[in-house]
Amino acid sequence: MSSASAEQATGPFGLPIDASLAADVRVGLDSVERVLLEAVQSEDPLLTQASKHLVEAGGKRFRPMLVLLAAQFGDPAAPGVVPAAVVVELTHLATLYHDDVMDEAPVRRGQPSANSRWTNTVAILTGDYLFARASDLLADLGPEAVRIQARAFARLVRGQIQETVGPAGDADPLKHYLQVMADKTGSLIAVSGQFGALLSGADQRIVDTVTSACEKIGVAFQLSDDILDIASEAEQSGKTPGTDLREGIRTLPMHHVLAGVGSGPDDARLRELLVADLTDDDLHAEALRLLRAHPAMDRARADLRGWAEDARDELLTLPDIPARAALVGLCDYVVSRTG
């Protein structure tokens, strides 16, 4: 049966999804949640408490969901699918512990971050423990899965280092930025799709297509976050608008302004502000106002559409099953969330 004629239900992000697929994904995510909680148990009470801290704080479980959707192209009940979904979520959570230490973040998912609740040392070691637990589960999935995860982890580290040190003097800042997004965000999302398709026994062409499309979806989600950080109000995004601006983080719209995209009477002033210290409330408000009105925002939205459309085009070469429609829906959602 084609996905278009199937009974619909509400899926992730409020998207319409085939009812039978939605039920399968819910069952799979329940299993993921159970194994996640088992995986973070330790003989040490503090380590258990710190490891469960982010697991119990919730989250979208976006990466496990992608594993489960991609597994629909093979046997979704294959024994490696749920452990693979747990592996990618543990890896993701581990990076959050480390990110919060690097960023000195006081809050994560509405709760005090591990580094603020305990110490930086506890947070770093907890992240390391989650990486170790992911590796333990991964070992049962075979050498190819271990290799895939190791290469993705190398990309995560490379992306973090590249973001930290910035582009070389002769490098294109925008190209550097997009590579960081692909490595830091896209790589693990790509692995999520790859694991689901591979471990469900899908054909290699399907595995390759899902992997490529999921990486593009991952980059698109990050780019949409860049746009929302500037364009949305606090009640829409759930965070203070212009946080990246205030922290001096150059995101896609800012790169376009500094590269001379668009023109207007306030260009010189905006470029001046984007290289200034914007911790001052008045300067920050001025920069946010000018950036929201700048043609660079439209250019950033066009870039976002390009990434999402490329992913969509790849997905449409896959067999026409409900999981394909769900993945295509994510491509449409990531564009629509920015307006």
Side-chain angles (χ1 to χ4, degrees):
M1 177 185 297
S2 86
S3 57
S5 62
E7 181 185 347
Q8 298 289 294
T10 299
F13 308 105
L15 297 171
I17 186 175
D18 173 79
S20 177
L21 173 61
D24 285 349
V25 170
R26 279 196 299 271
V27 170
L29 287 175
D30 287 344
S31 297
V32 168
E33 210 65 27
R34 175 179 53 78
V35 179
L36 260 178
L37 287 170
E38 292 172 357
V40 299
Q41 294 294 324
S42 166
E43 295 178 358
D44 183 272
L46 175 58
L47 186 54
T48 297
Q49 185 182 18
S51 298
K52 291 170 67 176
H53 182 63
L54 279 186
V55 172
E56 293 181 338
K60 299 181 183 70
R61 303 293 189 248
F62 179 55
R63 291 155 188 82
M65 180 196 69
L66 286 178
V67 175
L68 298 173
L69 287 176
Q72 294 287 324
F73 292 98
D75 175 9
V81 171
V82 167
V86 175
V87 165
V88 293
E89 186 66 7
L90 284 172
T91 303
H92 172 59
L93 292 173
T95 66
L96 298 184
Y97 282 88
H98 289 176
D99 283 351
D100 286 347
V101 171
M102 294 182 66
D103 299 339
E104 299 179 351
V107 175
R108 169 69 68 175
R109 294 180 176 174
Q111 303 291 329
S113 60
N115 47 295
S116 63
R117 180 172 176 179
W118 292 287
T119 64
N120 281 348
T121 300
V122 169
I124 291 169
L125 292 173
T126 302
D128 292 345
Y129 178 68
L130 296 186
F131 281 129
R133 296 300 297 128
S135 298
D136 193 7
L137 289 171
L138 195 62
D140 293 330
L141 301 181
E144 181 62 16
V146 172
R147 185 177 298 109
I148 290 168
Q149 174 79 350
R151 290 175 177 171
F153 188 51
R155 289 186 64 190
L156 286 168
V157 174
R158 182 180 69 188
Q160 185 63 67
I161 288 178
Q162 288 180 333
E163 182 179 60
T164 301
V165 302
D170 59 346
D172 179 344
L174 178 56
K175 184 177 180 181
H176 175 272
Y177 173 74
L178 291 173
Q179 186 61 56
V180 167
M181 293 301 98
D183 287 340
K184 274 195 64 181
T185 304
S187 61
L188 191 58
I189 292 176
V191 167
S192 301
Q194 187 173 13
F195 273 169
L198 178 70
L199 294 170
S200 69
D203 292 344
Q204 188 60 48
R205 183 192 71 81
I206 291 176
V207 175
D208 293 342
T209 300
V210 169
T211 304
S212 176
C214 282
E215 175 151 344
K216 291 179 174 68
I217 289 172
V219 173
F221 261 100
Q222 186 59 56
L223 297 184
S224 70
D225 281 348
D226 288 356
I227 295 168
L228 285 170
D229 181 69
I230 297 163
S232 68
E233 300 299 334
E235 60 269 19
Q236 292 173 287
S237 65
K239 68 175 187 177
T240 304
T243 298
D244 293 331
L245 265 177
R246 189 180 294 278
E247 295 178 354
I249 300 171
R250 290 185 185 173
T251 58
L252 183 62
M254 297 175 228
H255 279 295
H256 282 324
V257 171
L258 294 171
V261 170
S263 62
D266 298 316
D267 278 11
R269 176 57 176 164
L270 180 54
R271 284 195 289 271
E272 178 185 331
L273 287 168
L274 291 182
V275 297
D277 180 357
L278 293 178
T279 54
D280 177 86
D281 287 344
D282 290 338
L283 292 178
H284 176 264
E286 182 185 4
L288 187 59
R289 175 179 59 81
L290 293 177
L291 187 53
R292 283 173 168 172
H294 198 276
M297 292 296 289
D298 288 336
R299 175 61 179 273
R301 289 187 176 95
D303 290 345
L304 165 62
R305 286 194 299 273
W307 282 90
E309 287 168 5
D310 285 350
R312 193 177 195 277
D313 289 345
E314 290 187 343
L315 291 169
L316 289 175
T317 69
L318 297 172
D320 183 12
I321 63 173
R324 188 186 80 171
L327 291 168
V328 168
L330 285 175
C331 298
D332 297 335
Y333 167 78
V334 75
V335 172
S336 66
R337 72 194 287 249
T338 63

